[in-house]
Amino acid sequence: MTSPIPESAIDRDQRIGLQRIRDFLKVRTSYDVLPLSFRLIIFDTSLLVKKSLTILTQNGIVSAPLWDSKTSTFAGLLTTSDYINLIQYYWQNPDAVNRIDQFKLNSLRDIERAIGVSPLETASIHPLKPLYEACRRMLETRARRIPLVDIDDETGRPMVVSVVTQYRILKFVAVNVHETQYLRKPLRHLKLGTYKDLVTANMETTVFELIHKLVNYNISSVPILNSDGVVTNVFEAVDVITLIKGANYDELNLNVGEALQKRPDEFPGIYTCSIDDRLDTIFDTIRKSRVHRFVVIDEDSRLVGVLTLSDILEYILLEGEADDSKTE
């Protein structure tokens, strides 16, 4: 019988770091993540889709909880994916373009059925539940954000408190868990991110083509490469909202280069890392900057892979979890 291989110092630190993060998430609630002051915009399902676009762009947000005033119930979360579904519907039914301006948010389910895509995100969680549960719920539903729904003490009806995103959770961890500094194993040694069958485009690709890629591959961004495979930019699903905010669907015929010039001045830019970067430095970047994904590149800036916040969240929650349960 062979003796077990001793745990290396870097493996031990990685295990301890992950356990400290999980312990932290289990004793904190979603309420703890919320800032002291914030505003919440909720859309009634009877609102016109066109007006919802205007409100989103005016307030610099990309999603909003939905409320059905007829039943006084939470009706799901409106996200960029829903507008992309609308564009897909327009592409499949060009004769319907004159009716799109009259579509209300409660028409989105009909559009989903018509084009055969997944329905609106309806997952939610009570704000006093452990943050760990909110993270697990997001992983189970593949959602990037989750509404916090409480019960009003006086009416006994649901009440949307706020929405928590993956970014806000990971930044909360980065700011409060010192042991993220223990995560010193490089990405090349972790099963973290996507490195095969990467979906890419170039500056001449049309926005319509990119939207089809986003839908067909169920992704939220596409790296833009030049002829040498060098990463020059990233087209994100949220870029679509900027283009159609005036219900001008002709903008979707633009190529990527033209579309990216219409980004707002406050666009945070793209973030890159190498296969030799470690999670401790990535958490440090999340702590300092508003980042939603990392494009993994080599020393010549050629594309190697894509690391999303979903990948990071899944890793810190699930990596070695079976082994941990055996030792408890």
Side-chain angles (χ1 to χ4, degrees):
M1 181 177 179
T2 58
S3 302
I5 300 174
E7 187 178 38
S8 67
I10 193 170
D11 284 337
R12 183 182 65 250
D13 284 351
Q14 194 85 3
R15 175 176 55 80
I16 292 172
L18 291 173
Q19 190 57 54
R20 293 292 185 273
I21 292 172
R22 291 168 192 167
D23 292 343
F24 175 79
L25 293 173
K26 289 175 181 178
V27 298
R28 294 301 188 103
T29 70
S30 298
Y31 260 136
D32 296 329
V33 182
L34 302 180
L36 293 176
S37 176
F38 64 91
R39 75 184 162 181
L40 176 65
I41 295 175
I42 302 176
F43 291 153
D44 192 284
T45 54
S46 63
L47 184 70
L48 289 172
V49 172
K50 181 179 179 180
K51 288 186 177 181
S52 72
L53 264 173
T54 301
I55 296 171
L56 287 181
T57 53
Q58 285 178 344
N59 289 277
I61 56 177
V62 296
S63 67
L66 296 177
W67 185 259
D68 188 334
S69 56
K70 292 183 179 179
T71 59
S72 295
T73 55
F74 168 65
L77 187 68
L78 180 71
T79 69
T80 309
S81 297
D82 299 302
Y83 295 105
I84 289 177
N85 290 341
L86 183 64
I87 292 168
Q88 287 282 92
Y89 178 81
Y90 161 59
W91 181 77
Q92 295 178 15
N93 303 273
D95 295 338
V97 66
N98 293 328
R99 300 200 310 271
I100 286 181
D101 283 353
Q102 302 306 315
F103 283 167
K104 296 182 179 180
L105 294 178
N106 55 19
S107 304
L108 292 176
R109 292 205 181 279
D110 296 331
I111 291 171
E112 292 156 3
R113 285 191 289 269
I115 64 176
V117 298
S118 301
L120 279 168
E121 295 177 10
T122 56
S124 65
I125 195 164
H126 192 281
L128 290 180
K129 289 285 187 181
L131 198 51
Y132 183 85
E133 290 187 27
C135 295
R136 291 299 295 255
R137 184 75 59 84
M138 281 194 280
L139 291 182
E140 291 165 4
T141 59
R142 297 181 61 83
R144 299 179 183 89
R145 50 183 59 80
I146 188 166
L148 309 180
V149 180
D150 203 345
I151 300 297
D152 188 284
D153 291 336
E154 295 183 2
T155 65
R157 292 177 174 176
M159 174 181 63
V160 182
V161 176
S162 188
V163 176
V164 173
T165 64
Q166 290 178 342
Y167 166 73
R168 187 172 287 280
I169 291 172
L170 290 174
K171 181 173 182 177
F172 188 59
V173 169
V175 169
N176 293 285
V177 182
H178 172 77
E179 287 83 1
T180 54
Q181 297 178 20
Y182 290 8
L183 306 179
R184 294 182 286 108
K185 294 181 74 171
L187 292 179
R188 69 167 62 248
H189 294 154
L190 305 174
K191 296 178 180 178
L192 189 57
T194 302
Y195 301 91
K196 295 181 179 179
D197 302 322
L198 296 169
V199 180
T200 64
N202 57 57
M203 286 295 188
E204 300 305 316
T205 306
T206 68
V207 174
F208 254 132
E209 289 178 79
L210 268 185
I211 287 174
H212 294 326
K213 289 176 183 284
L214 294 173
V215 173
N216 293 337
Y217 294 96
N218 191 27
I219 53 180
S220 61
S221 66
V222 177
I224 308 301
L225 313 182
N226 67 13
S227 57
D228 296 320
V230 171
V231 177
T232 59
N233 217 313
V234 175
F235 186 90
E236 303 178 353
V238 295
D239 289 318
V240 174
I241 290 184
T242 302
L243 294 176
I244 64 172
K245 62 183 179 182
N248 184 5
Y249 296 97
D250 289 338
E251 297 276 75
L252 301 173
N253 293 313
L254 297 175
N255 63 36
V256 170
E258 295 167 330
L260 294 180
Q261 291 179 10
K262 296 181 178 292
R263 275 177 169 165
D265 294 336
E266 61 271 18
F267 178 75
I270 65 173
Y271 289 83
T272 62
C273 67
S274 80
I275 199 72
D276 293 313
D277 278 327
R278 311 175 315 195
L279 269 186
D280 61 341
T281 59
I282 286 173
F283 265 109
D284 195 45
T285 301
I286 292 172
R287 179 175 60 84
K288 297 175 181 177
S289 309
R290 190 172 186 83
V291 53
H292 298 290
R293 67 189 56 78
F294 294 85
V295 181
V296 187
I297 57 175
D298 65 14
E299 60 275 10
D300 297 316
S301 296
R302 291 190 178 92
L303 179 67
V304 174
V306 176
L307 176 65
T308 68
L309 297 190
S310 296
D311 295 328
I312 298 172
L313 190 64
E314 182 174 1
Y315 177 80
I316 65 173
L317 259 65
L318 304 183
E319 174 64 23
E321 188 181 56
D323 297 335
D324 292 344
S325 64
K326 291 177 183 178
T327 59
E328 288 177 356

